Amino acid sequence: MTDTPLRRGLTARHIRFIALGSAIGTGLFYGSAAAIQAAGPAVLLAYVIGGVVIYLVLRALGEMAVRRPQGSFGDYASSALGPQAGFMTGWMYVFEMVFVCIADVTAFAVYMGMWFPHVPKWIWVLAVIFFIAALNLMRVRVFGEVEFWLTIVKIAAIVAMIAGGVAVLIFGFGMHDTSQGVSSLWSHGGFFATGLGGWLSCFVLVVFAFGGSEIIGLTAAEAQDPERTIPKAINTVPVRIGLFYVLALAVIMAVIPWDRINSDSSPFVQIFQALGVEPAAHVLNVVVITAALSAINSDIFGAGRMMFGMAQRGQAPAIMRRTTANGVPWMTVVIMTVALLVGVLLNYLIPENVFVVIASIATFATVFVWLMILFSQYRQRTAMPADEVALLRFPVPMWPFGQLFAIAFLLFVTVLMAFEHDTLVALVVGFVWLGALAVAYRLWVAPRASVPS
């Protein structure tokens, strides 16, 4: 085990599908059920707005990553906002990935419950953690290849589900009445069936669904030709939001009235169970399990690379720089695996409502990281002379109004978290973690940084 640098083993194909796979996971396949319950059909509008915001965040990240591909958004925060901002951004991202991973492994346990209803959830959580840890210890090209094929399965399944759902709406099947058309989107209490309050409350889960997409900014250090691959990956965001979230969920709620969708399993499985097509439901359950594995795989990769970068800057213990002969930061994988054992404990102690609490904590961390990305890019751009701005190869659109809109939206979501019990818990946990990071920086990082080398 050495301090071997990271290897550039990710091709354009890998980067594109890591970008796709990072946002097509538990948030869509499982978290969307809770979002639908909160907002009814109006959740579609919430996903559109959330999709615009994450696109603006990723374009801000893309501008910085193409300009300086050897860094991460923790580096960009350090250079634009100061070393403490970079330290807190990096560790908040690790915190985000831990809780996103716990949410993903929790969803995996729920999916397995369809086949093994009497097996405790925590057993499945424990098993999948060690499986994914082993996968992440392989060379980065293996990671990219596995993520590529897992994402192919997810995309194919979503497209097939959309096509099947449209066919059901047109021709009918099982228990579906074709005379209703797509009227289920407004005939069960209206489009805003749960009112303005219900619609606003779903934004926390919508942001959670897109959390992790910023992993694109961490792949630059291991990407071949990042100046070309990063923009291509980011520009796929509008298509995947429109197709994989808005269209897929619209088809589901057109076939199954929104008030019949529950959190016992994935809505993608429920659509076929409601039609009486049990074999298809089992096939879709395999797909959502694949989606969970893909998301956990990406999350551990992203957190590990962030900790590796912080260790290089002296913002994390030096042992996190240790890599295998293949250039994989093995110690960070071990640390993430140990942290995820918290998920085993939570699923043992509170198996019923663990998902919403965990997703809300992850959302707080996601919002903080996205805000730091936006603030970093805003600070960098405003400090640039006009001739340097003209040389940017991937400038943000709608400057500066797009960035200001995204910042305002994310601050608004943070305020919304104070009005629900489960999300309020997440707000408290998030601010306590921020306070702990501020203290850790002052006690351990700042004194070392002030010592002349």
Side-chain angles (χ1 to χ4, degrees), residues 58-71 76 216-217 220 225-232 234 391-395:
L58 292 182
R59 283 299 301 262
L61 181 56
E63 178 180 293
M64 296 186 290
V66 170
R67 183 166 172 253
R68 204 180 90 192
Q70 71 274 18
Y76 308 143
I216 296 172
D225 192 12
E227 293 182 7
R228 184 174 62 88
T229 56
I230 298 298
K232 282 188 174 181
I234 290 173
L391 295 175
L392 289 173
R393 291 182 292 275
F394 193 48

Side-chain angles (χ1 to χ4, degrees), residues 13-34:
R13 172 173 61 90
H14 293 144
I15 299 291
R16 247 192 331 268
F17 279 83
I18 289 171
L20 276 169
S22 62
I24 306 174
T26 303
L28 172 62
F29 285 111
Y30 183 63
S32 58

Side-chain angles (χ1 to χ4, degrees), residues 129-284:
I129 286 172
F130 287 113
F131 171 73
I132 295 296
L135 188 61
N136 266 264
L137 288 172
M138 299 179 184
R139 67 179 65 208
V140 70
R141 190 175 183 87
V142 174
F143 162 81
E145 204 62 36
V146 169
E147 192 60 25
F148 171 79
W149 288 108
L150 290 176
T151 302
I152 284 285
V153 170
K154 291 189 288 187
I155 292 172
I158 293 172
V159 171
M161 193 283 300
I162 292 172
V166 170
V168 167
L169 290 170
I170 296 174
F171 303 111
F173 192 85
M175 296 171 282
H176 184 73
D177 180 6
T178 56
S179 65
Q180 294 179 355
V182 295
S183 64
S184 290
L185 292 174
W186 58 81
S187 61
H188 290 257
F191 187 71
F192 286 88
T194 62
L196 180 62
W199 182 62
L200 291 177
S201 70
C202 84
F203 275 103
V204 174
L205 287 166
V206 167
V207 171
F208 166 75
F210 298 134
S213 298
E214 64 274 14
I215 193 176
I216 296 172
L218 296 175
T219 59
E222 294 171 271
Q224 298 168 1
D225 192 12
E227 293 182 7
R228 184 174 62 88
T229 56
I230 298 298
K232 282 188 174 181
I234 290 173
N235 285 332
T236 64
V237 170
V239 174
R240 74 177 190 245
I241 299 303
L243 178 64
F244 301 134
Y245 278 85
V246 179
L247 183 56
L249 294 180
V251 168
I252 287 173
M253 288 187 289
V255 175
I256 313 175
W258 71 271
D259 50 2
R260 286 171 49 194
I261 295 173
N262 58 58
S263 298
D264 293 338
S265 62
S266 168
F268 288 76
V269 174
Q270 290 176 51
I271 186 174
F272 290 103
Q273 288 177 325
L275 294 170
V277 190
E278 201 63 29
H282 286 288
V283 171
L284 259 295

Side-chain angles (χ1 to χ4, degrees), residues 276-413:
V277 190
E278 201 63 29
H282 286 288
V283 171
L284 259 295
N285 204 48
V286 172
V287 172
V288 296
I289 286 171
T290 300
L293 292 174
S294 167
I296 300 163
N297 196 31
S298 292
D299 297 341
I300 291 179
F301 172 88
R305 270 45 178 187
M306 178 60 78
M307 286 187 279
F308 178 85
M310 288 191 296
Q312 289 185 313
R313 299 194 302 272
Q315 295 182 340
I319 195 171
M320 293 183 182
R321 296 201 304 264
R322 305 290 285 176
T323 57
T324 66
N326 294 325
V328 174
W330 66 273
M331 191 61 195
T332 62
V333 175
V334 172
I335 291 169
M336 278 295 291
T337 303
V338 172
L340 286 179
L341 294 178
V342 173
V344 179
L345 181 62
L346 290 174
N347 275 275
Y348 175 75
L349 295 175
I350 49 170
E352 297 305 319
N353 60 348
V354 64
F355 182 82
V356 173
V357 174
I358 290 170
S360 300
I361 295 172
T363 300
F364 177 89
T366 298
V367 166
F368 181 86
V369 170
W370 290 359
L371 282 171
M372 297 306 282
I373 289 170
L374 289 165
F375 288 143
S376 300
Q377 185 272 330
Y378 192 91
R379 184 74 175 270
Q380 282 190 17
R381 174 67 85 89
T382 52
M384 284 183 199
D387 56 340
E388 195 171 341
V389 171
L391 295 175
L392 289 173
R393 291 182 292 275
F394 193 48
V396 297
M398 299 182 287
W399 169 261
F401 304 106
Q403 278 57 46
L404 294 175
F405 166 74
I407 289 169
F409 172 83
L410 293 173
L411 292 173
F412 178 64
V413 170

Side-chain angles (χ1 to χ4, degrees), residues 416-451:
L416 287 177
M417 294 179 71
F419 292 93
E420 296 286 339
H421 178 264
D422 289 339
T423 54
L424 179 59
V425 170
L427 207 59
V428 172
V429 171
F431 278 115
V432 167
W433 177 246
L434 278 179
L437 290 178
V439 171
Y441 181 83
R442 294 294 179 188
L443 291 181
W444 291 293
V445 180
R448 284 185 298 180
S450 63
V451 175

